[in-house]
Amino acid sequence: MNVPKIVQNDPWLSPFSSIITKRMSNYCETYDRLLKNQSSLLDFANGHLFYGCFCNGDTTTLRERLPNATEVYLIGDFNNWQATPEYKLKNIGGGNWEITLPASVFGHLSLYRLKVCWKGGNGERIPAWARRVVQNEKTAIFSAQVWAPLQPHQWQVTDQLPNAEPFIYEAHIGMAGEKMGVSTFAEFRQNVLPRIQKLGYNVVQLMAIHEHPYYGSFGYHVSSFFAPSSRFGTPEELKALVDDCHSRGIRVVMDLVHSHAVKNINEGLGLYDGTRYQFFHEGERGEHPAWDSFCFNYANDNVLHFLLSNIKYWLTEFHFDGFRFDGVTSMIYYNHGLGNNYTSYEQYFDGTQDDDAITYLKLANKLIKEVNPNAISIAEEMSGYPGLAAPIADGGLGFDFRLAMGVPDMWIKILKEQTDDSWDLGHIYHELTSKRDDERVISYAESHDQALVGDKTIAFWLMDKEMYFNMMVDSQNLQIDRGMALHKMIRLLTASTAGGGYLNFMGNEFGHPEWIDFPREGNNWSYQYARRQWSLVDRKDLKYQYLNEFDLAMVHLLRQYNVLGIFPFYAQQVNQQNKVMAFTRGDLLFVFNFNSTESFTNYGVPVIPGKYKILMDTDEQRFGGFGRIDHNMLYMTAAGGESKTANLNLYLPSRTAIILQRQAIPSVYQRLTKKK
């Protein structure tokens, strides 16, 4: 029996080789079954080209799959929402229903729903394949809307953007503005996108794109999987935003929620044709105990058709450059990962895994690459499932990256529970650099999760209420000084040790204060904390500008030297007593002095012999620091004979990080030639 490559790479997986091989076989068998009547997975995932609403000149055709239905009627603003014989859909076989009407009756902007009848009941439903869904402001009722503009968006950038180590700017369109309300695609494009480009991020990750009934769900309780949220604007405005990103060299990744769906009956897929099993598992297995949502049945070929077509739809129709898959842990374990700490390999192979979900994720990743070889797929997965971001052929699930979810949890835990002098640098370095050799990870100090209501941003943990009173540029405050210094160091340490990519949630680059809290009954439906206060960073009399300037310099430097793509990298020193950490990545040397009180003169760091030049440091005055380091100095190691390492003696101010570059030393021939 051939041993999967992920097992060859990790001998600890050897006892589970047969299970990994069986999961590989399950994938191959499912793949072959789905393609029985298709030439490729690309052809199989074309449901969006058959189902849904299509305007064809003078007529409009609607098709939906409702296998348990006995009768289906089209109702809308064109027939006073009444189920009448002339608007009855025809059963065309295979559980499919169809109607064709004049576009003058049922055309662009028409509002509609389905009246679905089944044995023993009936109900109004929004079509599962609807491409636009809107909410009536007065009644709060959702309806599908025909979307066929006379002037559809004309793409300005049609070429796929090249691969590069991702520096991801995570953003939520609705809370991206400063106003007390929901922001739009157009406003994000005008007001936020230029900031992202200037900072140097090359990927935008957009949250809450799927239509969702409850704004406060952060977009994770999806009702209509093919409809962009109409709260933020029209489909054409979303396309214009993606197109604009591409024109700036920025790829766009979408938060994809295929792990579960909202329970809502009228708005979502629950009991769509009078049954739950068309999309979801029956019984307890079909209900997520923590999220109050329905769980997809990945063993159902029609569900695979729906979800895979959804992936192709967003990639082709809106030109997204990939996905961040939400809730992967919930998908691959029957218990959704609840209550497990995953401290042993047995927990990944003990029979509590949903092999159908694992197969689906492999199919999804294969399809993504078939549509766009440069697309990115990222897994939000907290159990550490082996092979998650390894190639499918090697026994992996095929993701390009996994999120390093333990890193932000570590930072928040440290800030909550420990004083500076008790930080364990060895533990921190291990958490930041620990990853499987065959996988790449996205590291981040904080995402939207860390700032949700009930918690605080890193900046607020560090500086708390002092941010309200002492962020003026002429204000002196020890807590603000400490907070700003550590905020920069935490970001730099997290980014410079990243195993393939780095992520930042919007506003965190300048230390956005407070927390995130969407309008809800508990806060009197306030937008106070569901927005970004850009005026803080734009004001020249406030210190937020310094944290933002540091982020800009950090991202540009790490991208310039391709730091995140350099493997392996080496710890030169982790000194717990002095609170100094140093490591090299390629020709760059990163040195961090986390000591809260002591600065060091002529501090020796073992490095490759040579000359070293400072590229930047966190204490620079342009970053709100004290400017204690002279960048004009060129540091040279002491002569060490034939030794491969020598001490580089540095001045290390307290709470400061320094980036140095080893300079190329001319050979004897080059020096002689230069003299001539």
Side-chain angles (χ1 to χ4, degrees):
M1 181 178 69
N2 292 329
V3 177
K5 190 172 181 180
I6 64 169
V7 178
Q8 297 176 35
N9 294 341
D10 184 356
W12 289 98
L13 288 173
S14 296
F16 314 106
S17 182
S18 61
I19 299 176
I20 295 171
T21 301
K22 180 63 167 63
R23 290 175 182 172
M24 295 173 71
S25 298
N26 290 343
Y27 160 75
C28 293
E29 291 168 5
T30 303
Y31 181 85
D32 291 341
R33 184 179 73 248
L34 296 181
L35 269 60
K36 187 175 181 179
N37 298 314
Q38 306 288 343
S39 60
S40 69
L41 202 58
L42 278 172
D43 293 331
F44 175 78
N46 276 336
H48 57 292
L49 301 180
F50 180 78
Y51 295 111
C53 190
F54 304 93
C55 292
N56 308 299
D58 296 333
T59 62
T60 303
T61 297
L62 174 70
R63 295 188 201 93
E64 285 289 325
R65 185 175 187 276
L66 299 131
N68 190 55
T70 55
E71 291 182 324
V72 182
Y73 296 88
L74 180 67
I75 60 175
D77 56 1
F78 45 85
N79 65 1
N80 202 29
W81 302 97
Q82 300 298 309
T84 55
E86 62 267 36
Y87 292 100
K88 184 177 180 180
L89 276 68
K90 179 181 179 182
N91 188 337
I92 60 174
N96 299 317
W97 298 78
E98 179 184 271
I99 188 171
T100 298
L101 294 168
S104 58
V105 175
F106 181 52
H108 181 53
L109 301 184
S110 292
L111 298 175
Y112 66 99
R113 294 193 292 273
L114 298 177
K115 178 68 176 290
V116 182
C117 304
W118 57 85
K119 291 181 181 179
N122 64 78
E124 293 186 6
R125 300 290 186 265
I126 291 177
W129 298 79
R131 298 189 178 203
R132 179 161 169 79
V133 175
V134 296
Q135 186 177 25
N136 186 299
E137 292 183 1
K138 294 181 179 179
T139 66
I141 294 174
F142 285 87
S143 302
Q145 185 177 51
V146 178
W147 188 255
L150 291 176
Q151 295 182 324
H153 178 76
Q154 300 297 312
W155 291 95
Q156 301 303 305
V157 180
T158 56
D159 294 336
Q160 296 172 358
L161 296 187
N163 271 318
E165 278 66 37
F167 285 80
I168 302 172
Y169 197 89
E170 184 187 30
H172 183 284
I173 297 294
M175 61 172 288
E178 190 154 358
K179 66 182 182 182
M180 296 283 192
V182 180
S183 290
T184 66
F185 295 127
E187 289 169 336
F188 185 91
R189 179 185 174 191
Q190 178 180 352
N191 301 325
V192 183
L193 187 56
R195 298 177 185 271
I196 299 172
Q197 181 184 21
K198 183 178 180 180
L199 286 169
Y201 288 89
N202 58 9
V203 177
V204 173
Q205 179 180 306
L206 295 180
M207 307 173 63
I209 295 300
H210 297 289
E211 188 60 79
H212 46 290
Y214 178 44
Y215 186 49
S217 74
F218 228 142
Y220 292 122
H221 275 193
V222 175
S223 53
S224 296
F225 285 79
F226 288 83
S229 178
S230 58
R231 290 181 182 87
F232 310 143
T234 69
E236 305 311 301
E237 288 168 334
L238 174 56
K239 292 176 182 178
L241 169 58
V242 174
D243 209 5
D244 197 349
C245 287
H246 289 168
S247 72
R248 300 169 187 263
I250 299 172
R251 291 187 284 179
V252 189
V253 169
M254 172 182 165
D255 251 11
L256 191 75
V257 186
H258 282 184
S259 47
H260 64 133
V262 71
K263 275 187 174 180
N264 298 37
I265 303 302
N266 294 332
E267 294 88 7
L269 303 177
L271 302 183
Y272 183 51
D273 60 358
T275 68
R276 187 203 292 181
Y277 59 74
Q278 183 180 349
F279 291 101
F280 311 110
H281 287 289
E282 295 280 17
E284 290 185 3
R285 188 178 173 190
E287 299 188 33
H288 198 294
W291 297 345
D292 190 32
S293 54
F294 284 144
C295 301
F296 286 106
N297 179 2
Y298 305 104
N300 185 324
D301 286 358
N302 289 305
V303 172
L304 296 179
H305 185 234
F306 180 82
L307 295 177
L308 291 173
S309 297
N310 191 238
I311 285 174
K312 184 177 179 182
Y313 167 76
W314 291 109
L315 291 174
T316 56
E317 184 70 18
F318 289 88
H319 293 200
F320 277 98
D321 301 283
F323 304 98
R324 177 258 200 195
F325 281 71
D326 179 70
V328 171
T329 305
S330 176
M331 297 172 71
I332 62 180
Y333 296 98
Y334 292 135
N335 68 353
H336 309 294
L338 302 174
N340 281 14
N341 54 12
Y342 297 99
T343 56
S344 68
Y345 272 44
E346 286 80 4
Q347 291 174 292
Y348 305 121
F349 306 100
D350 60 4
T352 63
Q353 297 75 37
D354 187 340
D355 286 352
D356 297 321
I358 291 172
T359 292
Y360 165 67
L361 291 169
K362 293 182 180 182
L363 291 167
N365 282 312
K366 180 171 177 55
L367 174 64
I368 290 168
K369 293 302 184 184
E370 287 187 5
V371 176
N372 179 359
N374 292 335
I376 308 169
S377 67
I378 305 166
E380 188 222 24
E381 207 284 311
M382 49 74 63
S383 77
Y385 183 88
L388 187 78
I392 297 170
D394 295 350
L397 270 61
F399 285 98
D400 294 305
F401 301 91
R402 71 157 76 236
L403 286 176
M405 299 183 70
V407 171
D409 290 343
M410 174 198 70
W411 284 124
I412 293 295
K413 183 177 177 64
I414 287 173
L415 294 175
K416 282 183 180 180
E417 301 177 2
Q418 300 178 21
T419 58
D420 296 18
D421 56 1
S422 62
W423 288 16
D424 185 340
L425 294 194
H427 170 72
I428 292 173
Y429 185 79
H430 173 76
E431 286 292 322
L432 290 171
T433 60
S434 179
K435 77 175 193 67
R436 304 179 68 84
D437 290 341
D438 53 4
E439 296 185 337
R440 293 183 294 171
V441 301
I442 304 291
S443 292
Y444 54 108
E446 55 185 334
S447 69
H448 67 276
D449 286 328
Q450 281 65 49
L452 285 172
V453 65
D455 213 321
K456 296 184 286 192
T457 63
I458 286 180
F460 214 48
W461 275 113
L462 288 166
M463 294 176 276
D464 208 71
K465 66 180 184 299
E466 297 299 326
M467 298 186 78
Y468 296 128
F469 310 109
N470 292 289
M471 287 297 282
M472 302 295 291
V473 295
D474 57 356
S475 174
Q476 295 297 315
N477 181 278
L478 292 178
Q479 188 168 340
I480 295 296
D481 291 344
R482 169 187 179 267
M484 289 188 60
L486 290 179
H487 197 270
K488 291 177 285 186
M489 294 180 72
I490 287 171
R491 281 182 287 156
L492 178 60
L493 182 55
T494 303
S496 59
T497 56
Y502 175 70
L503 178 144
N504 167 72
F505 181 68
M506 64 176 181
N508 292 351
E509 69 274 8
F510 65 83
H512 200 286
E514 301 172 333
W515 49 82
I516 297 169
D517 188 13
F518 279 81
R520 56 188 172 86
E521 188 174 0
N523 64 16
N524 294 319
W525 304 103
S526 170
Y527 287 90
Q528 175 65 35
Y529 301 110
R531 62 195 184 108
R532 297 284 89 176
Q533 299 180 62
W534 303 108
S535 59
L536 295 176
V537 70
D538 291 340
R539 285 177 53 178
K540 299 305 180 185
D541 60 339
L542 295 178
K543 294 182 178 181
Y544 295 98
Q545 61 180 305
Y546 300 140
L547 297 176
N548 191 77
E549 185 66 23
F550 170 76
D551 208 78
L552 182 152
M554 177 187 76
V555 171
H556 279 273
L557 186 147
L558 295 179
R559 285 189 61 187
Q560 177 184 350
Y561 292 96
N562 191 35
V563 171
L564 273 57
I566 298 173
F567 297 99
F569 53 94
Y570 305 96
Q572 305 302 120
Q573 185 178 107
V574 179
N575 189 311
Q576 178 64 19
Q577 181 177 352
N578 292 330
K579 289 291 184 290
V580 173
M581 179 190 301
F583 56 89
T584 54
R585 205 158 184 182
D587 290 334
L588 298 189
L589 170 66
F590 298 82
V591 186
F592 294 78
N593 179 12
F594 280 101
N595 201 299
S596 59
T597 58
E598 190 169 356
S599 299
F600 301 102
T601 304
N602 292 325
Y603 190 95
V605 178
V607 295
I608 297 174
K611 294 181 180 180
Y612 288 79
K613 177 184 178 182
I614 294 177
L615 298 180
M616 67 176 280
D617 75 84
T618 60
D619 193 51
E620 294 180 47
Q621 290 181 329
R622 61 178 173 146
F623 306 144
F626 299 100
R628 291 171 288 179
I629 298 176
D630 183 0
H631 284 215
N632 293 319
M633 286 190 63
L634 190 65
Y635 294 86
M636 180 174 288
T637 56
E642 299 299 319
S643 175
K644 294 183 179 180
T645 62
N647 269 352
L648 185 68
N649 295 322
L650 299 171
Y651 170 50
L652 303 180
S654 60
R655 288 194 182 125
T656 297
I658 309 172
I659 306 175
L660 303 99
Q661 183 186 31
R662 182 164 57 88
Q663 305 293 293
I665 300 177
S667 65
V668 174
Y669 174 78
Q670 289 173 321
R671 291 198 296 269
L672 291 173
T673 303
K674 187 175 182 180
K675 287 180 180 180
K676 290 180 181 179

